[in-house]
Amino acid sequence: MIDLTASLPPLSLYIHLPWCVKKCPYCDFNSHQADRFEKEGKLPEDAYLAQLLADLDADLAYVAGRPIQTAFIGGGTPSLMSEDFYYRLMDALRDKLTWVDNAEITMEANPGTFEQEKFRHFRQAGINRLSIGIQSFQPTLLTTLGRIHNREEAIHAVEKSRLAGFDNINIDLMHGLPEQSLDMALDDLALAIQLDPEHLSWYQLTIEPNTEFYRRPPALPEDNTLWGIQDAGQAQLEKHGYAQYEVSANAKQNRRAAHNLNYWRFGDYLGIGAGAHGKVTLPDGQIFRTRKTRHPNHYLNTLPEALVIKESIEQEDLPLEFMMNRLRLFETFDLQDYQRYTYQALPDALLKACNTAIKKGFLDAEQWSNGKVQTTEKGKLFLNELLELFLS
């Protein structure tokens, strides 16, 4: 058996906090209304922290000597938890794991839960990047989306985050919303740009199963409007220095989300918390995905060794798994990265699919001749059709 420890992919950490104030009708994430779990007005912070750390302990064997490159605290609404929770969590993570210098550590936050003093404590605990879920500044659309904040609170959340010490901020903004016009979408984007975040996640609403919108579909804009929003919006972002580097992500220079880059480059990540997913490579070259039990009560009352469900990624599925991630990024990458991250020789099926993609104009022929892969503008527009070429 070959020991691949020294060449294992970079490792990140995802931490899931499953509670939110209110479940939004478009949300398919593992989130649960907080007031149904509170006792005496408080969430079970102590119990959840203890289980998170036990969950991490059970996964430590997968670290294999690697430092943590990035961490992302998602939800739910992680900012519902107290500052004391995060001081204790971050102290424990520093004790249990080795970190690279200046590791990017992101927390998701919603404007309706933003308190400047509380967020100053989060920054002092070691969280150095905020992702603020604004989604829209339009009052009617915020109501439709079930958001608990208003336009002014969204603006103030960004301003207060600066005062709390954050110099790396992402704004989450959606487009293609129910009955949204081109002007409404561009007005939202213009205000987000005016707030001057380092990163903008600008993505189209999709109707997902197991959501209220799926059960009662709203009237969405027509395709021509959606195309117009996408084209005009990307031009606006580029004009103001937000380069698109991923399907739904734009960033200022040197401000791309390091955590997301590790996902899309097929890096490894531990996932702890209710419903958290992970992807791990073992020193023998085996690659598998993990997922933890979803419901908070089940998570809190399960022995750590029974939390995880492991699913191996079969060799024949690796081309699709790898390309589905890498082609979300619009950067050029070396074809040898496939071997580096999967420990498998380049399969004929992958090479054949790439050649077909070149003929269709989805991949750049000149880059391919140099052993590199680059999505063309046409490939970006027809990404789903491009990815279908890699189905085994």
Side-chain angles (χ1 to χ4, degrees):
M1 183 180 296
I2 300 173
D3 187 348
L4 302 171
T5 301
S7 61
L8 288 174
L11 182 65
S12 293
L13 174 66
Y14 176 77
I15 305 165
H16 194 78
L17 281 297
W19 294 291
C20 57
V21 174
K22 178 185 176 185
K23 183 80 170 180
C24 296
Y26 60 86
C27 178
D28 69 335
F29 293 117
N30 185 36
S31 59
H32 304 263
Q33 197 159 310
D35 59 10
R36 298 173 184 172
F37 294 84
E38 290 177 343
K39 292 184 179 180
E40 299 179 356
K42 290 183 64 177
L43 287 167
E45 289 192 356
D46 292 345
Y48 196 77
L49 178 59
Q51 190 70 320
L52 273 179
L53 299 179
D55 188 357
L56 177 60
D57 286 341
D59 280 0
L60 285 179
Y62 305 142
V63 174
R66 290 174 286 180
I68 301 297
Q69 305 284 329
T70 66
F72 193 98
I73 306 168
T77 306
S79 50
L80 288 178
M81 307 300 262
S82 70
E83 51 266 45
D84 178 65
F85 175 89
Y86 283 106
Y87 277 120
R88 291 186 289 152
L89 172 64
M90 296 303 296
D91 284 345
L93 294 178
R94 283 187 284 266
D95 287 342
K96 293 175 179 291
L97 299 164
T98 301
W99 297 76
V100 300
D101 292 339
N102 302 312
E104 177 193 277
I105 302 174
T106 303
M107 172 193 278
E108 286 185 333
N110 287 331
T113 63
F114 207 103
E115 302 170 29
Q116 182 180 326
E117 191 57 37
K118 186 178 180 181
F119 277 70
R120 181 176 283 111
H121 284 292
F122 294 162
R123 180 66 188 88
Q124 290 173 356
I127 296 160
N128 54 28
R129 184 174 181 269
L130 277 185
S131 182
I132 304 176
I134 291 176
Q135 313 309 355
S136 177
F137 295 96
Q138 308 280 339
T140 55
L141 292 180
L142 288 171
T143 299
T144 300
L145 293 173
R147 306 299 286 169
I148 63 171
H149 66 271
N150 58 37
R151 175 189 178 96
E152 289 70 29
E153 287 172 324
I155 294 169
H156 291 157
V158 179
E159 295 171 346
K160 289 178 180 178
S161 66
R162 297 296 190 197
L163 294 174
F166 286 94
D167 61 2
N168 194 1
I169 295 171
N170 168 64
I171 286 178
D172 265 2
L173 200 67
M174 290 197 293
H175 61 87
L177 302 177
E179 301 183 7
Q180 185 182 45
S181 67
L182 172 63
D183 286 344
M184 292 168 71
L186 294 182
D187 284 348
D188 267 353
L189 193 55
L191 182 48
I193 291 170
Q194 185 180 331
L195 291 172
D196 199 31
E198 284 68 33
H199 190 281
L200 260 165
S201 297
W202 191 60
Y203 53 96
Q204 184 177 324
L205 170 68
T206 56
I207 306 300
E208 302 289 352
N210 301 315
T211 65
E212 186 64 25
F213 276 179
Y214 185 82
R215 290 184 286 273
R216 297 179 178 82
L220 299 180
E222 296 181 352
D223 286 347
N224 287 340
T225 301
L226 294 174
W227 281 108
I229 290 172
Q230 184 69 33
D231 287 347
Q234 284 300 334
Q236 192 168 330
L237 285 161
E238 295 284 345
K239 177 182 176 182
H240 289 88
Y242 292 93
Q244 185 180 22
Y245 69 94
E246 188 260 336
V247 171
S248 58
N250 295 69
K252 292 183 178 181
Q253 189 172 8
N254 300 321
R255 290 295 195 163
R256 297 188 297 175
H259 189 81
N260 290 348
L261 286 174
N262 191 47
Y263 282 159
W264 307 135
R265 288 172 177 164
F266 212 55
D268 282 355
Y269 52 98
L270 304 178
I272 62 172
H277 287 237
K279 177 247 171 184
V280 179
T281 306
L282 298 182
D284 64 1
Q286 181 187 359
I287 304 172
F288 61 89
R289 296 197 181 278
T290 66
R291 51 190 172 92
K292 307 299 171 66
T293 187
R294 288 175 58 86
H295 196 278
N297 286 343
H298 297 162
Y299 182 83
L300 286 168
N301 294 289
T302 302
L303 294 174
E305 59 270 20
L307 288 174
V308 62
I309 299 167
K310 293 170 58 176
E311 298 172 340
S312 292
I313 302 177
E314 301 302 326
Q315 184 174 340
E316 60 268 24
D317 296 327
L318 281 171
L320 177 62
E321 288 273 349
F322 179 83
M323 298 302 279
M324 185 170 58
N325 283 275
R326 285 307 307 244
L327 292 176
R328 280 191 66 97
L329 290 175
F330 298 151
E331 64 185 11
T332 302
F333 67 91
D334 195 308
L335 196 58
Q336 299 306 312
D337 282 357
Y338 179 84
Q339 294 169 287
R340 178 187 170 200
Y341 283 94
T342 68
Y343 304 102
Q344 303 291 329
L346 283 165
D348 290 340
L350 185 147
L351 297 173
K352 181 180 178 181
C354 286
N355 279 301
T356 301
I358 290 167
K359 291 176 182 177
K360 288 178 173 288
F362 295 157
L363 295 180
D364 186 277
E366 183 177 353
Q367 292 286 359
W368 180 255
S369 67
N370 294 319
K372 298 185 183 298
V373 179
Q374 172 68 62
T375 309
T376 62
E377 290 302 315
K378 182 180 179 181
K380 295 175 187 177
L381 291 174
F382 296 96
L383 183 60
N384 287 338
E385 187 175 339
L386 169 58
L387 291 175
E388 285 175 2
L389 298 176
F390 297 94
L391 287 169
S392 57

